[in-house]
Amino acid sequence: MADLEDVKDTRNFHVGVPERREPFFLKGSGALDWGMQHRLAHIFDPASGRTVMLAIDHGYFQGPTAGLERVDVDIVPLLPWANALMLTRGILRANIPPSFGRGVVLRASGGPSILKELSNEQLAVDVEDAVRLDVSAMAVQVFVGGEFETQSIHNLTRLVDAGIRAGIPTLGVTAVGKNMTRDARYFRLACRICAELGAHFVKTYYVPEGFETVTASCPVPIVMAGGKKLPELEALAMAHRAVSEGAAGVDMGRNIFQSEAPAAMIRAVGAVVHQLMKPEQAHDLYQTLRHEKRDVRVAV
Ligand code: R5P
């Protein structure tokens, strides 16, 4: 208890000074509770308003993916440059140091493997465990137009409800089935459905035509999924176009961890996302950094 002797008179009331109020920096998130906003501020950098999420959750349906065979060896050295990690609770507990102080986005749906119908997912994490793991958000795949569309949307709404009770935001991930068209019209539909049904942010793919209509018609932040491995310059150019056209960052996996120099690549992606560095300049940065001995895949 504070010492009660020599208590100073209170006097700095700042009478007449209007209350300082800073609107929360993320689109569509101003009415969220403090805990929700606090968690989102662990994922999105308040300075730029954007995020570089590193997606390493691929094993939840396809097992040991190329580049993710040893998360402890190949991914942990990349953590200083990730605003957030997207991963399963298994890898989180097994391989990620609890001292990692940035955002953790927990994969919370699953079920089928690559051997079966992928849209047949169910919720795969109890919100109590997400609380125990102190995660910043939970992620659920939504298969709009897929065989198990309604079930996957029900997964989203149940997770949103459970997350709201615990103060944990939900990321809606728009999945693309094998025979679905990847165009702006489809992604406008899928992203808007996720947001309308309560997702606090949405992950979706970049499309070269009309991506700005996808971000404009989604009332919450969109992060761009990386997709298949591209040459580094192309991946950087895609990230640049996405953030220039309204994305609040990226959630990239293979284009970072399957790069020949993952640490150089995640730093180049960060320059694009947070500083809007031009792709060619970011690629020069990548080339410079990849020859530094610090990159985890470059022999020392
Ligand atoms: C896939 O379902 C996973 O959720 C990945 O997080 C997602 O595909 C992003 O990874 P990538 O950039 O490799 O496509």
Side-chain angles (χ1 to χ4, degrees):
M1 189 172 171
D3 190 343
L4 294 180
E5 285 181 19
D6 296 326
V7 176
K8 285 187 179 177
D9 286 342
T10 52
R11 57 192 171 86
N12 292 329
F13 296 104
H14 299 291
V15 173
V17 177
E19 180 196 3
R20 282 188 194 165
R21 276 190 211 162
E22 285 184 21
F24 191 62
F25 64 96
L26 277 181
K27 179 181 181 179
S29 311
L32 299 179
D33 189 32
W34 193 93
M36 284 270 196
Q37 294 181 342
H38 186 65
R39 285 188 161 96
L40 287 169
H42 276 91
I43 299 168
F44 295 89
D45 181 347
S48 68
R50 293 186 284 271
T51 184
V52 174
M53 288 173 56
L54 178 59
I56 59 164
D57 60 327
H58 306 57
Y60 91 96
F61 70 104
Q62 62 182 39
T65 306
L68 297 178
E69 297 89 341
R70 286 289 301 273
V71 169
D72 56 330
V73 175
D74 289 329
I75 299 299
V76 169
L78 308 181
L79 298 187
W81 297 292
N83 293 106
L85 267 181
M86 179 172 174
L87 76 179
T88 60
R89 60 179 165 183
I91 291 294
L92 181 64
R93 282 196 166 100
N95 292 142
I96 304 302
S99 54
F100 176 64
R102 293 183 170 187
V104 170
V105 179
L106 185 67
R107 160 62 58 185
S109 63
S113 74
I114 43 172
L115 306 177
K116 294 284 178 123
E117 167 53 43
L118 289 178
S119 68
N120 190 13
E121 283 196 350
Q122 300 202 356
L123 290 184
V125 169
D126 193 304
V127 73
E128 276 180 18
D129 204 32
V131 171
R132 207 175 285 122
L133 288 165
D134 194 24
V135 304
S136 309
M138 301 179 290
V140 56
Q141 208 90 348
V142 175
F143 294 83
V144 171
E147 188 177 338
F148 290 87
E149 174 187 72
T150 302
Q151 178 179 308
S152 72
I153 289 178
H154 193 203
N155 290 340
L156 168 74
T157 52
R158 282 193 296 147
L159 196 65
V160 167
D161 284 334
I164 286 173
R165 283 194 288 275
I168 302 178
T170 294
L171 170 64
V173 181
T174 65
V176 183
K178 287 179 193 135
N179 301 318
M180 290 181 194
T181 314
R182 291 186 180 209
D183 61 15
R185 184 177 177 172
Y186 173 77
F187 288 122
R188 283 196 301 268
L189 173 75
C191 292
R192 184 64 176 254
I193 287 173
C194 287
E196 296 262 359
L197 293 176
H200 300 96
F201 58 126
V202 177
K203 168 174 168 172
T204 199
Y205 290 94
Y206 182 76
V207 285
E209 297 293 325
F211 185 74
E212 71 281 0
T213 66
V214 179
T215 57
S217 59
C218 182
V220 296
I222 282 186
V223 290
M224 183 204 78
K228 68 179 183 190
K229 175 74 176 72
L230 300 169
E232 278 75 8
L233 179 56
E234 284 180 38
L236 292 166
M238 182 172 70
H240 190 271
R241 286 196 299 271
V243 293
S244 302
E245 294 166 20
V250 300
D251 185 12
M252 286 175 119
R254 288 163 288 177
N255 277 294
I256 292 174
F257 63 71
Q258 291 181 352
S259 168
E260 284 182 26
M265 187 58 181
I266 194 171
R267 292 170 72 181
V269 171
V272 168
V273 168
H274 293 301
Q275 302 161 31
L276 293 178
M277 186 180 280
K278 293 267 191 291
E280 297 74 18
Q281 197 186 344
H283 191 251
D284 289 346
L285 176 66
Y286 164 75
Q287 292 290 11
T288 303
L289 293 171
R290 69 177 292 192
H291 294 111
E292 285 187 2
K293 291 183 177 177
R294 274 182 290 164
D295 200 290
V296 292
R297 299 267 176 91
V298 176
V300 292

